[in-house]
Amino acid sequence: MVSFDVVSLFNAIPVNKACEFIRKKLIENHTLHLRTNYIVSILSYSYFIYKDTVYKQVHGCAMGSPVSPIVANLCMEEIEETAITLTPVPPKIWKRYVDDVFCIIKEDSVAPFHHTLNSIDPRI
């Protein structure tokens, strides 16, 4: 048994990659695919206010934004699917809640699988 955790998930999300992942998911969805460009363009820009000044967030998802958990979840889904597909010995069990993972995998496969996970995006 192994557990994995992403440090500061929302701040670590690569916005460009997340938008690519979301575009892919939206295109696959028969009811939303016509709105793909619109939705992705909205998600590409994240602004926040700090001490009465408006800032554009250039990396990561804004903490407290209602859309950030959705973006982070879709990004994590893509990363885990990619890692499980790429690894020669996939986990027998993979359960994730936001950025915390419970995994059952052969002991000698833990390090290579961890390396695969980290190689998909160095910040996550």
Side-chain angles (χ1 to χ4, degrees), residues 83-104:
I84 290 170
T85 301
L86 291 176
T87 192
V89 181
K92 289 186 179 195
I93 294 177
W94 178 271
K95 301 290 182 186
R96 177 178 57 85
Y97 179 74
V98 187
D99 65 341
D100 299 310
V101 174
F102 171 78
C103 176
I104 295 181

Side-chain angles (χ1 to χ4, degrees), residues 10-109:
F10 287 2
N11 297 326
I13 295 295
V15 176
N16 292 339
K17 277 188 182 180
C19 286
E20 289 174 28
F21 301 151
I22 291 167
R23 179 182 304 281
K24 177 182 160 187
K25 293 289 183 187
L26 289 171
I27 289 171
E28 293 171 0
N29 184 304
H30 298 294
T31 58
L32 294 174
H33 74 279
L34 296 175
R35 298 179 185 100
T36 298
N37 290 336
Y38 177 71
I39 293 170
V40 171
S41 69
I42 291 171
L43 296 175
S44 300
Y45 300 102
S46 181
Y47 294 91
F48 63 94
I49 297 173
Y50 178 72
K51 293 188 177 182
D52 297 326
T53 304
V54 177
Y55 296 91
K56 178 181 179 187
Q57 186 160 343
V58 295
H59 190 84
C61 296
M63 295 295 293
S65 169
V67 76
S68 292
I70 297 164
V71 171
N73 189 49
L74 289 169
C75 195
M76 288 296 296
E77 183 179 314
E78 182 70 22
I79 289 169
E80 70 188 7
E81 286 174 359
T82 302
I84 290 170
T85 301
L86 291 176
T87 192
V89 181
K92 289 186 179 195
I93 294 177
W94 178 271
K95 301 290 182 186
R96 177 178 57 85
Y97 179 74
V98 187
D99 65 341
D100 299 310
V101 174
F102 171 78
C103 176
I104 295 181
I105 189 169
K106 291 186 177 186
E107 186 175 355
D108 58 341
S109 299

Side-chain angles (χ1 to χ4, degrees), residues 107-124:
E107 186 175 355
D108 58 341
S109 299
V110 172
F113 184 67
H114 187 238
H115 176 73
T116 301
L117 281 168
N118 287 335
S119 69
I120 295 168
D121 190 287
R123 291 183 185 236
I124 297 181

